[in-house]
Amino acid sequence: MQLSEKAISSLRAAGKPGLPAPELFSLPEKVLQFGTGVLLRGLPDYFIDKANKKGIFNGRVVVVKSTSQGGTDAFAKQDNLYTICVRGIEKGHKVDETVVNASISRVLSAADEWAAVLECAANPLLQVVISNTTEVGITLLPNDDINAAPPVSFPGKLLAFLQERFRKFHGIRESGLVIVPTELIPGNGAKLKGIVLELARQNNLPEALIQWIDTDNDFCNSLVDRIVPGKLSAADTGVMKERMGCDDELMIMSEVYRLWAIETADERTKAILSFSEVDPGVILAPRIDKFRELKLRLLNGSHTFTCGLAVLAGFTTVKQAMDDARFSAFITSLMLEEIVPAISGDIVPAEEARQFAAAVLDRYRNPFIEHHWLSITLQYTSKMKMRNVPVIQQYYARFGTVPQHMALGLAAWMLFMKSTRTDSKTHAGRVAEKEYVINDDYAGHLYEFWTAASPAAQHLLGDKSLWGADLNELPGLAEAVQSWLQILQQQGAVAALKNFESQKTVS
């Protein structure tokens, strides 16, 4: 049996879990969503479905498939229903729950059904636009013709939709929409708004329309955080088919942790986004800097400080490393003893930082997700600069001493980046006789460092082209990094972790 609206009654009679009530299928369309990807289905659509089931938001989602790849057949076959398997660790306890999501009313192809997309603009109950078109999606495409069917870019499509809505409702203020992009770029809402307004001017649209877009539509910056790997493995799919009693081509898996921070102080916007009432993972706030800082420094930053060390120690996945007592202790103390104290202050309260760190550690221990360390090393050097160098500088500004966990993280980055150059001019590193590919724009730069006569940590730390600053100005950092680098080279990463553990025991 295939998952569908018709199948729900049979599944309900069989006592299957997480099924939607019949009345949910008749809820009005309130959201236009650009994108069919797993993040949107695993986060915003998850919250909307949860709110609908509690009688709060009471609206469904019209999804616009923007790319030409693939069709909408799977959605149509299943009446746009899909299963979310939420799996992971929360506050030390294992979570494994299954929910059939009924938030999507229909899926339209922008390429083939653009007229139907524009017809949605005439719906007076439509209030929200959501997008996730990848970071490249929020870019200005000069000369994008918004009268095309459809325009090429996502901002062009959005502008065409807003123009149609302006026409249908004669530009009344109440017809303005709440627009929440979820693309992973800082200030995504403000950037999208700027591009839409620029395209409107390039297309010589009426000033009244431009003014309505500018003042009566709320473009909200937002930050999303949830790992949604997507399809389950073949083995897990079989288990879930048995549990659910049906086939589901759209079934996805997500971790337990969820965050959708939306930046707004507008009371009308808060009322429209009423699904925020049903889950603490949705946060409406006048500023979301705090949430971005927490994610960037504690989640992304701890990954970047430790990914090279993990690879050098022979760990393949994050979960595997977290099962090792020494590594788990190292990354825990890195976050709680160095990163949290460095970033805590007016923007990020210390207690919130500690709570976030605890949640991150739960996520790292998730037994259902295979997160590979080598994937995390992609563009390692740029990530180290953006995510971690500011934290090192903040730590020094506050304490004036060497953050030893961070110093070992820097040393591990240096050794991980030691490479040989292949015939195809790619760079490869080696650990325990196993070769790994280095995907980093600065691989050649580090290759030159390691082939120099006397490579020393201070040479790299003082390279302003890498960091935008001379890190040798931080007292004792170069000496600490060089010391850890020697231990890594002579004794290995496992020995370095043992050494670190013994130093902490002594102190």
Coordinates of all heavy atoms in Angstrom, one line a residue, residues 205-264:
L205 N 9.4 49.0 -13.0 CA 8.1 48.8 -12.4 C 7.6 50.1 -11.7 O 8.4 51.0 -11.3 CB 8.1 47.7 -11.4 CG 8.5 46.3 -12.0 CD1 8.4 45.2 -10.9 CD2 7.7 45.9 -13.2
P206 N 6.3 50.3 -11.6 CA 5.8 51.5 -11.0 C 6.3 51.8 -9.6 O 6.5 50.8 -8.8 CB 4.2 51.2 -11.0 CG 4.0 50.2 -12.0 CD 5.3 49.3 -12.0
E207 N 6.4 53.0 -9.3 CA 6.9 53.4 -8.0 C 6.0 53.0 -6.9 O 6.4 52.6 -5.8 CB 7.1 54.9 -7.9 CG 7.8 55.4 -6.7 CD 9.2 54.8 -6.5 OE1 9.9 54.6 -7.5 OE2 9.6 54.5 -5.3
A208 N 4.7 53.0 -7.2 CA 3.7 52.5 -6.1 C 3.9 51.1 -5.8 O 3.8 50.7 -4.6 CB 2.3 52.7 -6.6
L209 N 4.3 50.2 -6.7 CA 4.5 48.8 -6.5 C 5.8 48.7 -5.6 O 5.9 47.9 -4.7 CB 4.7 48.0 -7.8 CG 5.2 46.6 -7.7 CD1 4.4 45.7 -6.8 CD2 5.4 46.0 -9.1
I210 N 6.8 49.4 -6.0 CA 8.1 49.4 -5.3 C 7.9 49.8 -3.9 O 8.5 49.2 -2.9 CB 9.2 50.3 -6.0 CG1 9.5 49.7 -7.4 CG2 10.4 50.4 -5.2 CD1 10.4 50.5 -8.2
Q211 N 7.1 50.9 -3.7 CA 6.9 51.3 -2.3 C 6.1 50.3 -1.5 O 6.4 50.1 -0.3 CB 6.1 52.6 -2.4 CG 5.8 53.3 -1.1 CD 7.0 53.9 -0.4 OE1 8.0 54.1 -1.1 NE2 7.0 54.1 0.9
W212 N 5.1 49.6 -2.1 CA 4.4 48.6 -1.4 C 5.3 47.4 -1.0 O 5.2 46.9 0.1 CB 3.2 48.1 -2.3 CG 2.4 47.0 -1.8 CD1 1.4 47.0 -0.9 CD2 2.6 45.6 -2.2 NE1 0.9 45.8 -0.6 CE2 1.6 44.9 -1.4 CE3 3.4 44.9 -3.1 CZ2 1.5 43.5 -1.5 CZ3 3.2 43.5 -3.2 CH2 2.3 42.8 -2.4
I213 N 6.1 47.0 -1.9 CA 7.1 45.9 -1.6 C 8.0 46.3 -0.4 O 8.2 45.5 0.5 CB 8.0 45.6 -2.8 CG1 7.1 44.9 -3.9 CG2 9.1 44.6 -2.4 CD1 7.9 44.7 -5.2
D214 N 8.4 47.6 -0.4 CA 9.4 48.0 0.6 C 8.7 48.2 1.9 O 9.3 47.8 3.0 CB 9.9 49.4 0.1 CG 11.1 49.9 1.0 OD1 11.7 49.0 1.6 OD2 11.3 51.1 1.0
T215 N 7.5 48.7 2.0 CA 6.9 49.0 3.3 C 5.9 48.1 3.8 O 5.7 48.0 5.0 CB 6.3 50.4 3.2 OG1 5.2 50.4 2.2 CG2 7.3 51.5 2.9
D216 N 5.2 47.3 2.9 CA 4.1 46.5 3.4 C 4.4 45.0 3.4 O 3.5 44.2 3.7 CB 2.8 46.8 2.5 CG 2.4 48.2 2.7 OD1 2.6 48.8 3.8 OD2 1.8 48.8 1.8
N217 N 5.5 44.6 3.0 CA 6.0 43.2 3.0 C 7.1 43.1 4.0 O 8.1 43.9 3.9 CB 6.4 42.7 1.7 CG 5.2 42.6 0.7 OD1 4.6 41.6 0.5 ND2 5.0 43.8 0.0
D218 N 7.0 42.2 4.9 CA 8.1 42.0 5.9 C 9.1 40.9 5.5 O 8.7 39.7 5.6 CB 7.4 41.7 7.3 CG 8.4 41.9 8.5 OD1 9.5 42.3 8.2 OD2 8.0 41.6 9.6
F219 N 10.2 41.3 5.1 CA 11.3 40.4 4.7 C 12.1 40.1 6.0 O 12.8 41.0 6.5 CB 12.2 41.0 3.7 CG 11.7 41.1 2.3 CD1 10.7 42.1 2.0 CD2 12.0 40.2 1.3 CE1 10.2 42.2 0.7 CE2 11.5 40.3 0.0 CZ 10.6 41.3 -0.3
C220 N 12.0 38.9 6.5 CA 12.6 38.6 7.8 C 13.9 37.8 7.6 O 13.9 36.8 6.9 CB 11.7 37.8 8.7 SG 10.1 38.5 9.0
N221 N 15.0 38.3 8.3 CA 16.2 37.5 8.4 C 15.8 36.2 9.2 O 15.1 36.3 10.2 CB 17.3 38.2 9.1 CG 17.8 39.4 8.3 OD1 17.7 39.4 7.0 ND2 18.2 40.5 9.0
S222 N 16.4 35.1 8.8 CA 16.2 33.9 9.7 C 17.4 33.0 9.7 O 18.3 33.1 8.8 CB 14.9 33.1 9.1 OG 15.3 32.2 8.1
L223 N 17.4 32.1 10.6 CA 18.5 31.1 10.8 C 17.9 29.8 11.1 O 17.0 29.6 12.0 CB 19.4 31.5 12.0 CG 20.5 30.5 12.3 CD1 21.6 30.5 11.2 CD2 21.1 30.9 13.7
V224 N 18.2 28.8 10.3 CA 17.7 27.4 10.5 C 18.9 26.5 10.9 O 20.0 26.7 10.5 CB 17.1 26.9 9.2 CG1 15.8 27.6 8.9 CG2 18.0 27.0 8.0
D225 N 18.5 25.6 11.7 CA 19.5 24.6 12.2 C 18.9 23.3 12.5 O 18.2 23.2 13.5 CB 20.2 25.2 13.4 CG 21.4 24.3 13.9 OD1 21.8 23.4 13.1 OD2 22.0 24.6 14.9
R226 N 19.0 22.4 11.6 CA 18.6 21.0 11.9 C 19.3 20.1 10.8 O 19.3 20.4 9.6 CB 17.1 20.8 11.8 CG 16.6 19.5 12.2 CD 15.1 19.4 12.2 NE 14.6 18.5 13.3 CZ 13.3 18.2 13.5 NH1 12.4 18.7 12.8 NH2 13.0 17.4 14.6
I227 N 19.8 19.0 11.3 CA 20.4 18.1 10.3 C 19.3 17.2 9.8 O 18.6 16.5 10.5 CB 21.5 17.2 11.0 CG1 22.6 18.1 11.5 CG2 22.0 16.2 10.0 CD1 23.7 17.4 12.3
V228 N 19.1 17.2 8.5 CA 18.1 16.4 7.8 C 18.8 15.7 6.7 O 18.8 16.1 5.6 CB 16.9 17.3 7.2 CG1 15.8 16.4 6.7 CG2 16.4 18.3 8.3
P229 N 19.3 14.5 7.0 CA 20.1 13.7 6.0 C 19.3 13.3 4.8 O 19.8 13.1 3.7 CB 20.5 12.5 6.8 CG 20.4 12.8 8.2 CD 19.3 13.8 8.3
G230 N 17.9 13.3 4.9 CA 17.1 12.9 3.8 C 16.7 11.5 3.8 O 16.2 11.0 4.9
K231 N 16.9 10.7 2.7 CA 16.4 9.4 2.6 C 17.1 8.5 3.6 O 18.2 8.6 3.9 CB 16.5 8.8 1.2 CG 15.5 9.4 0.2 CD 15.6 8.6 -1.1 CE 14.5 9.1 -2.0 NZ 14.5 8.3 -3.3
L232 N 16.3 7.5 4.1 CA 16.9 6.5 5.0 C 17.6 5.4 4.2 O 17.5 5.3 3.0 CB 15.8 5.8 5.8 CG 15.2 6.6 7.0 CD1 14.3 7.7 6.5 CD2 14.3 5.6 7.8
S233 N 18.5 4.7 4.9 CA 19.2 3.6 4.2 C 18.1 2.5 3.8 O 17.0 2.5 4.3 CB 20.2 3.0 5.2 OG 19.5 2.3 6.3
A234 N 18.6 1.6 3.0 CA 17.7 0.6 2.5 C 17.1 -0.3 3.7 O 16.0 -0.6 3.7 CB 18.4 -0.3 1.5
A235 N 18.1 -0.6 4.6 CA 17.7 -1.4 5.8 C 16.6 -0.6 6.6 O 15.6 -1.2 7.1 CB 18.9 -1.8 6.6
D236 N 16.9 0.6 6.9 CA 16.0 1.4 7.7 C 14.7 1.7 7.0 O 13.6 1.7 7.7 CB 16.6 2.8 8.1 CG 17.7 2.7 9.2 OD1 17.7 1.6 9.8 OD2 18.5 3.6 9.3
T237 N 14.7 1.8 5.7 CA 13.5 2.0 4.9 C 12.6 0.7 5.1 O 11.4 0.8 5.3 CB 13.8 2.2 3.4 OG1 14.5 3.4 3.3 CG2 12.5 2.3 2.6
G238 N 13.2 -0.5 5.1 CA 12.4 -1.7 5.3 C 11.8 -1.7 6.7 O 10.6 -2.1 6.8
V239 N 12.6 -1.3 7.7 CA 12.0 -1.3 9.1 C 10.9 -0.3 9.2 O 9.8 -0.6 9.8 CB 13.2 -0.9 10.0 CG1 12.6 -0.7 11.4 CG2 14.2 -2.0 10.1
M240 N 11.0 0.8 8.6 CA 10.0 1.8 8.6 C 8.7 1.4 7.9 O 7.6 1.7 8.3 CB 10.5 3.2 8.1 CG 11.5 3.8 9.1 SD 11.0 3.9 10.8 CE 9.4 4.8 10.6
K241 N 8.9 0.7 6.7 CA 7.8 0.2 6.0 C 7.0 -0.7 6.8 O 5.7 -0.7 6.8 CB 8.2 -0.4 4.7 CG 7.1 -1.0 3.9 CD 7.6 -1.7 2.6 CE 6.5 -2.3 1.8 NZ 7.0 -2.9 0.5
E242 N 7.7 -1.5 7.6 CA 7.0 -2.5 8.5 C 6.3 -1.7 9.6 O 5.1 -2.1 10.0 CB 8.0 -3.5 9.1 CG 7.4 -4.5 10.0 CD 6.6 -5.5 9.2 OE1 6.8 -5.7 8.0 OE2 5.7 -6.2 9.9
R243 N 6.9 -0.7 10.1 CA 6.3 0.0 11.2 C 5.1 0.8 10.8 O 4.1 0.8 11.4 CB 7.3 1.0 11.8 CG 6.8 1.9 13.0 CD 7.7 3.0 13.4 NE 8.9 2.5 14.0 CZ 9.9 3.3 14.5 NH1 9.7 4.6 14.5 NH2 10.9 2.7 15.1
M244 N 5.2 1.5 9.6 CA 4.1 2.3 9.1 C 3.0 1.5 8.3 O 1.9 1.9 8.2 CB 4.7 3.4 8.2 CG 5.6 4.4 8.9 SD 4.8 5.2 10.2 CE 3.5 6.1 9.4
G245 N 3.4 0.4 7.8 CA 2.4 -0.4 7.0 C 2.2 0.0 5.6 O 1.1 -0.3 5.1
C246 N 3.1 0.8 5.1 CA 2.9 1.3 3.7 C 4.2 1.8 3.1 O 5.2 1.9 3.8 CB 1.9 2.5 3.7 SG 2.5 3.9 4.6
D247 N 4.2 2.0 1.8 CA 5.4 2.5 1.1 C 5.3 4.0 1.2 O 4.3 4.6 1.1 CB 5.4 2.0 -0.3 CG 5.7 0.6 -0.5 OD1 6.7 0.1 0.1 OD2 5.0 -0.1 -1.2
D248 N 6.5 4.7 1.2 CA 6.6 6.1 1.2 C 7.8 6.5 0.5 O 8.9 6.5 1.0 CB 6.6 6.6 2.7 CG 6.6 8.2 2.7 OD1 6.7 8.8 1.7 OD2 6.5 8.7 3.9
E249 N 7.7 7.0 -0.7 CA 8.8 7.4 -1.5 C 9.5 8.7 -1.0 O 10.6 9.1 -1.4 CB 8.4 7.6 -3.0 CG 8.0 6.3 -3.7 CD 7.5 6.5 -5.1 OE1 7.9 7.5 -5.7 OE2 6.7 5.7 -5.6
L250 N 8.7 9.5 -0.2 CA 9.2 10.8 0.2 C 9.7 10.8 1.7 O 9.9 11.8 2.3 CB 8.1 11.8 0.1 CG 7.6 12.0 -1.4 CD1 6.4 12.9 -1.4 CD2 8.7 12.7 -2.2
M251 N 9.7 9.6 2.3 CA 10.1 9.5 3.7 C 11.5 10.1 3.9 O 12.4 9.9 3.2 CB 10.1 8.0 4.2 CG 10.5 7.8 5.6 SD 10.5 6.1 6.1 CE 8.8 5.7 5.9
I252 N 11.6 10.9 5.0 CA 12.9 11.5 5.4 C 13.2 11.3 6.8 O 12.3 11.0 7.6 CB 13.0 13.0 5.0 CG1 11.9 13.8 5.8 CG2 12.9 13.3 3.5 CD1 11.9 15.3 5.7
M253 N 14.5 11.5 7.2 CA 14.9 11.4 8.6 C 15.5 12.7 9.0 O 16.1 13.4 8.2 CB 15.9 10.2 8.7 CG 16.2 9.9 10.2 SD 17.7 10.6 10.9 CE 18.9 9.5 10.3
S254 N 15.3 13.1 10.3 CA 15.9 14.3 10.8 C 16.3 14.0 12.2 O 15.9 13.1 12.9 CB 14.9 15.5 10.8 OG 14.0 15.4 11.9
E255 N 17.3 14.8 12.7 CA 17.7 14.8 14.1 C 16.6 15.4 14.9 O 15.7 16.0 14.4 CB 19.0 15.5 14.3 CG 19.0 17.0 14.1 CD 20.2 17.7 14.5 OE1 21.0 17.1 15.3 OE2 20.5 18.8 14.0
V256 N 16.7 15.2 16.2 CA 15.7 15.8 17.2 C 15.9 17.3 17.3 O 14.9 18.1 17.2 CB 15.9 15.2 18.6 CG1 14.8 15.7 19.5 CG2 15.8 13.7 18.5
Y257 N 17.1 17.8 17.4 CA 17.3 19.2 17.5 C 16.7 20.0 16.4 O 16.8 19.6 15.2 CB 18.8 19.5 17.6 CG 19.1 21.0 17.9 CD1 19.1 21.5 19.2 CD2 19.3 21.9 16.8 CE1 19.3 22.9 19.4 CE2 19.6 23.2 17.0 CZ 19.6 23.7 18.3 OH 19.8 25.1 18.5
R258 N 16.1 21.1 16.7 CA 15.5 22.0 15.7 C 15.5 23.4 16.1 O 15.3 23.8 17.3 CB 14.1 21.6 15.3 CG 13.1 21.8 16.5 CD 12.7 20.4 17.0 NE 11.7 20.6 18.1 CZ 11.9 19.9 19.3 NH1 12.9 19.1 19.5 NH2 11.0 20.0 20.2
L259 N 15.9 24.3 15.2 CA 15.9 25.8 15.4 C 15.5 26.5 14.2 O 16.1 26.3 13.1 CB 17.2 26.2 15.9 CG 17.4 27.8 16.1 CD1 16.5 28.3 17.2 CD2 18.8 28.2 16.3
W260 N 14.5 27.4 14.3 CA 14.2 28.3 13.3 C 14.0 29.7 13.9 O 13.0 30.0 14.5 CB 12.9 27.9 12.5 CG 12.6 28.7 11.3 CD1 13.5 29.6 10.6 CD2 11.4 28.7 10.5 NE1 12.9 30.1 9.5 CE2 11.6 29.6 9.4 CE3 10.2 28.1 10.7 CZ2 10.6 29.8 8.5 CZ3 9.2 28.3 9.7 CH2 9.4 29.1 8.6
A261 N 15.1 30.5 13.9 CA 15.1 31.8 14.5 C 14.7 32.8 13.5 O 15.4 32.9 12.4 CB 16.4 32.1 15.1
I262 N 13.6 33.6 13.7 CA 13.1 34.5 12.7 C 13.2 35.9 13.3 O 12.7 36.2 14.4 CB 11.7 34.2 12.3 CG1 11.6 32.8 11.8 CG2 11.1 35.2 11.3 CD1 10.2 32.3 11.5
E263 N 13.8 36.8 12.6 CA 14.0 38.2 13.1 C 12.9 39.1 12.8 O 12.7 39.4 11.6 CB 15.3 38.7 12.6 CG 15.8 40.0 13.2 CD 17.2 40.4 12.8 OE1 18.2 39.9 13.3 OE2 17.3 41.2 11.8
T264 N 12.1 39.5 13.7 CA 11.0 40.4 13.5 C 10.6 41.1 14.9 O 10.6 40.4 15.9 CB 9.8 39.8 12.9 OG1 8.8 40.8 12.6 CG2 9.2 38.7 13.7

